[in-house]
Amino acid sequence: MASLFSTFPLLRRAAPRLSKEFFTCQTARHTALRPRNVQQVLESLPLQRTFRSGKPRTSTAALELGSVPNTASPLSSLSRTIRNAREETSRKSFFPETSDRAVAYWLLGSAASVFGLVVFGGLTRLTESGLSITEWRPVTGSLPPMNAADWDLEFTKYRSSPEFKLLNPRMTLEEFKSIYYMEWGHRQWGRAVGLTFLLPAVYFIARRKVSAPMAVKVTGIASLIGFQGVLGWWMVKSGLKDDLFAPGSHPRVSQYRLTAHLGTAFICYTAMLWNGLSILRERKLLADPVAAEKSFSILRSPELKIFRRSVAGLAVLVFCTAMSGGLVAGLDAGLIYNEFPQMGLGLTPPKSELFSDFYSHTADGSDIWWRNMLENPSLVQLDHRILATTTFTSVLGLWAYTKLSPALKKMLPAACKRGMHGVVSFVWLQVILGISTLIYLVPLPLASAHQAGSLALLSSVMILGGRTWVPSRASRLVAQKLVQSSSVTKSAIPTGTLGSFARQPGSSIGGKGTGTGAAYPSI
């Protein structure tokens, strides 16, 4: 060994430093030596304190001093925070915070079924099959006539109706069967919509698959479906009595009741579609609350205020235009003035024809304005033309605004731009179908497609609104989740942990030591 040091003199000078600094624990040098038992040594180990769960043990020294130190680990604090949050949520409400994804798919499927039912109802109206069943039996009417005697009974009832006497006095039994099956199929579809909505609604609510607000909305939609059935029979009943329409006129259901029936169907469909999409969007936003809050801040920007309100106004305008189409269908107003854009010799019929005294029911003529607007086929068709043209120009104007406004073009999200393009496409299609239906004297395929197009256009506007409007409940849930995330992050790092790191001699945070023992704080 002496020869080794004589050969390498630098090793002699380095050897004392290696023996004192390399092989000595820096923490032990700065800690006062005191006798401790084995249990105290184990409790002072950093790994034992970090990964220990449950109630921390109390040392003998702490008991002698009469105080218990706060030795809760980050993992135990985090688990307690999550457990307390779950217990508090379970105590607050019977329903979960968000609805299940299956509820969204069920609502969208129900909306698709109602969409088909509306189109089939239009076919029933166009084929004049709606008055073939003269009774309303919600339960016993589910089965069609099963034998010849049943068919003779149903045909006898129909022969006593005004429609048979004035329009179809020569109708045979086989011809009656065709229109009977149309109306029976429409009613069966309505029953199927009610059952496939009511039974799953009860299941989802009982199994707590929906949130509390969604449970109220689902119950409201179920009630609306039941009301729609009653309203449908109230509409049919108006065409079975002579005193509900002018003597000698074409037997038809009341245009008021027909429009109410159509409007209720539109509201029911829109509610299903909107709530189904809202559930999917809410779950997507809560999956990434940070990105959701960023998108909300963009949608709340003042640059998009006009666009948001314009989309809401556009939805109302499309709905009103569709309801005016219901008045046109109820009065058969599409069978007159089959040209576009003119109506006779000009853009509008003469004023004396638009506001005729024939439709007034009062001696002073005080109701001449509103009765002509709702009962005069000429003015009803003109109103529908005006509303349709206004809708078309409003959509194109809003689309041009998204293209020509620099601020809006820069701030508008890509999803809103795609939604706007969809609305433009559907409004063009609807205008083409409407003009074609008018020019070709309301053929069955074009008229049915035109009715379906109105519902599709309303759907596209609502989808655009879902991408443009800020949902209040989803925004509140995102904010709550962000607050919970920040509180969990704070509770996961106990107060003083970083300070204990910084105070450690030889610690890598605030110290210059390189020993392996400096990686853990010592309390």
Side-chain angles (χ1 to χ4, degrees), residues 225-507:
I225 292 175
F227 175 72
Q228 175 73 344
V230 177
L231 196 60
W233 168 244
W234 184 59
M235 175 194 68
V236 171
K237 189 177 179 180
S238 65
L240 300 176
K241 294 183 179 180
D242 296 331
D243 56 347
L244 294 180
F245 47 87
S249 63
H250 189 294
R252 60 168 65 95
V253 299
S254 169
Q255 74 273 18
Y256 299 109
R257 302 185 186 185
L258 175 65
T259 306
H261 188 55
L262 180 66
T264 308
F266 269 57
I267 294 174
C268 186
Y269 165 80
T270 305
M272 294 176 179
L273 177 68
W274 176 261
N275 288 293
L277 294 177
S278 297
I279 293 175
L280 295 178
R281 185 188 184 193
E282 186 176 284
R283 295 182 66 89
K284 183 179 179 181
L285 292 172
L286 292 178
D288 190 356
V290 177
E293 187 60 31
K294 290 181 180 178
S295 65
F296 288 160
S297 63
I298 294 175
L299 294 177
R300 293 191 189 100
S301 60
E303 290 81 359
L304 299 182
K305 183 177 181 180
I306 298 178
F307 183 79
R308 291 195 305 268
R309 294 184 175 181
S310 299
V311 173
L314 190 61
V316 175
L317 184 58
V318 171
F319 180 82
C320 293
T321 304
M323 294 305 100
S324 71
L327 292 175
V328 171
L331 294 171
D332 290 331
L335 299 176
I336 60 175
Y337 293 114
N338 302 104
E339 51 196 353
F340 190 86
Q342 291 185 326
M343 296 181 69
L345 300 178
L347 293 177
T348 64
K351 184 178 179 181
S352 58
E353 179 181 349
L354 294 177
F355 300 97
S356 174
D357 296 335
F358 175 77
Y359 298 97
S360 177
H361 292 182
T362 58
D364 57 353
S366 58
D367 61 344
I368 190 173
W369 288 90
W370 68 267
R371 284 198 178 273
N372 275 276
M373 292 181 66
L374 300 176
E375 298 178 3
N376 186 346
S378 299
L379 186 54
V380 166
Q381 187 189 125
L382 178 62
D383 292 339
H384 187 61
R385 290 189 182 205
I386 293 174
L387 286 172
T389 305
T390 304
T391 302
F392 178 71
T393 54
S394 299
V395 171
L396 293 186
L398 187 60
W399 174 76
Y401 177 56
T402 62
K403 295 295 183 181
L404 300 179
S405 174
L408 185 62
K409 188 176 181 180
K410 180 180 178 181
M411 293 291 297
L412 194 64
C416 297
K417 294 179 181 179
R418 292 193 298 269
M420 190 72 242
H421 293 160
V423 174
V424 172
S425 302
F426 276 111
V427 78
W428 271 107
L429 177 63
Q430 182 67 350
V431 167
I432 294 173
L433 288 173
I435 296 175
S436 302
T437 302
L438 182 67
I439 293 177
Y440 291 100
L441 297 175
V442 195
L444 191 62
L446 285 177
S448 180
H450 185 52
Q451 184 175 11
S454 64
L455 203 53
L457 177 60
L458 181 61
S459 303
S460 64
V461 175
M462 296 305 296
I463 292 174
L464 175 61
R467 299 176 179 181
T468 305
W469 305 323
V470 179
S472 58
R473 186 173 187 274
S475 177
R476 185 173 64 255
L477 291 177
V478 167
Q480 291 176 359
K481 195 164 186 179
L482 289 175
V483 172
Q484 291 176 1
S485 300
S486 62
S487 63
V488 167
T489 303
K490 292 179 180 179
S491 63
I493 305 177
T495 305
T497 301
L498 294 179
S500 63
F501 271 100
R503 289 191 299 269
Q504 287 302 316
S507 170

Side-chain angles (χ1 to χ4, degrees), residues 78-92 97 484 487-488:
L78 179 61
S79 63
R80 269 199 309 275
T81 303
I82 297 175
R83 184 172 62 253
N84 294 336
R86 288 178 178 177
E87 292 177 355
E88 184 179 358
T89 303
S90 63
R91 287 194 303 266
K92 281 184 178 180
E97 187 179 55
Q484 291 176 1
S487 63
V488 167

Side-chain angles (χ1 to χ4, degrees), residues 8-26:
F8 301 94
L10 295 178
L11 185 60
R12 179 184 294 277
R13 292 193 297 268
R17 179 166 40 183
L18 290 174
S19 61
K20 292 181 179 180
E21 298 181 7
F22 186 78
F23 297 100
T24 302
C25 178
Q26 298 296 325

